Amino acid sequence: MSRFFSEKYKNLEPYTPGEQPKDNQYVKLNTNESPFPPTPTAVQYIAQASKSLQLYSDPECRELVEIASKRFGVNKDEIIFTNGSDEVLNFAFMAFCDKNTPAIFPDITYGFYSVFAQINNIPYREIELNEDFTICVDDYKNVKGTVFIANPNAPTGIALTIKEIEEIVRSNPDNIVVIDEAYVDFGAESVVQLTKKYDNLLVTQTFSKSRSLAGGRLGFGIGNKALIQDLNTIKYSTNPYNVNSLTMAAGIGTLIDDSYSMENCQKIIETREMTALKLKELGFTMTDSSANFIFAKHDVVNGKDIYLKLKEKGVLVRHFDKEKLRDYNRITVGSDYQMQILIDKLKEVLEELQ
Ligand code: PMP
């Protein structure tokens, strides 16, 4: 830390992203990226857009908003695009929390929520999950604060139903409820349509997982027009050109060919189920994941040892040191080929460690 670093940030603990190693050819199952490349339509659109990079990008993302509003069945003023969904989540912390309106989220969830709260000087309360990693819906009813729930949750993959989320939203008419649907396309139910009924619901999604654009950085929020206006106030006060022209073009091309992405999601779901069966045969237990990852622990061998040994053998999964998560590893569902390598290497690892 330099001696010039602001007092405000002295104690900030930044989010630790998953490793992106360049030194080795890993089977990379640690950051929930898609094993499939972007649709060729996206690539074509990017190439076209690259010819006009001397111009600023459209701050209103009009063409993208037009096609996305049709795809998601909402009005054009009910959607905002951002630089990854991390940005819309940060905007939501900035817009809808303050010292009298704390952020409220599960103790086990996306690790960035507490960082967004800290950097914005927002108090936050973490609510414990049940023993089996499920969210206790009643804990989020009538709370005094802004609720953030990842659905499916991370890193557990466990999803709430629309009915359960509606109960939470209905019971908090004077607070905002943010539902982070980063992984929704892998088998959970989206609550986007509930934004028409409730003015306190904001839904966020990303093109990083189900739409193969993690490197493009494109996310969005959907909610009532007034909420989106608030988020735009934050956006135009920080970075009006938050979505660059290439990413915008990629997003348009991706939505034009959306069946490509949705078919890939089906493949990932099938691969997830098949991999879960194989992991069970090897002595793993796992949560019921509706996401593009499996959260698994071995009945005998320790999670960190499995992670380290797999890494030595060229397979990268995500291990968290937090006490309640230590026994587990979060394994991204890749292609069938990648998952076969995972299973083969796991067999070796288990033989060596048992
Ligand atoms: N929400 C959750 C639950 C996530 O796991 C992630 C990805 N790390 C994000 C949001 C943010 O993803 P992105 O910024 O790539 O859209």
Side-chain angles (χ1 to χ4, degrees), residues 84-86 89 110 154 180 182-183 206 208-209 217:
S85 60
D86 280 338
L89 287 164
Y110 184 32
D180 171 356
Y183 300 103
T206 179
S208 296
K209 323 286 178 184
R217 313 302 304 125

Side-chain angles (χ1 to χ4, degrees), residues 3 33 40 55 59 68 70 87 147 176 180 189 191 202 225-226 255 262 271 295 315-316 336:
R3 62 198 163 91
E33 289 141 331
L55 303 175
K70 291 199 180 106
E87 190 180 46
V147 174
I176 297 290
D180 171 356
E189 303 172 306
V191 290
L202 178 73
K225 179 179 164 186
L255 287 182
M262 295 303 111
T271 305
F295 190 56
V315 178
L316 210 51
D336 286 339

Side-chain angles (χ1 to χ4, degrees), residues 254-265:
T254 298
L255 287 182
I256 285 174
D257 188 19
D258 208 40
S259 55
Y260 168 86
S261 303
M262 295 303 111
E263 281 162 22
N264 286 342
C265 290

Side-chain angles (χ1 to χ4, degrees), residues 15 31-32 82-89 109-113 116 149-154 180-183 204-209 213-215 217-220 293 318 330:
Y15 174 70
T31 46
N32 301 338
T82 53
N83 188 319
S85 60
D86 280 338
E87 190 180 46
V88 70
L89 287 164
T109 189
Y110 184 32
F112 223 142
Y113 298 161
F116 289 139
I149 292 179
N151 194 53
N153 197 10
D180 171 356
E181 296 189 344
Y183 300 103
T204 65
Q205 288 194 18
T206 179
F207 280 53
S208 296
K209 323 286 178 184
L213 281 185
R217 313 302 304 125
L218 186 62
F220 60 97
F293 53 81
R318 184 94 197 246
R330 191 195 68 191

Side-chain angles (χ1 to χ4, degrees), residues 313-328:
K313 292 176 186 290
V315 178
L316 210 51
V317 298
R318 184 94 197 246
H319 184 261
F320 300 89
D321 267 327
K322 197 169 177 164
E323 200 191 328
K324 289 186 188 170
L325 307 179
R326 225 172 257 162
D327 292 342
Y328 286 80

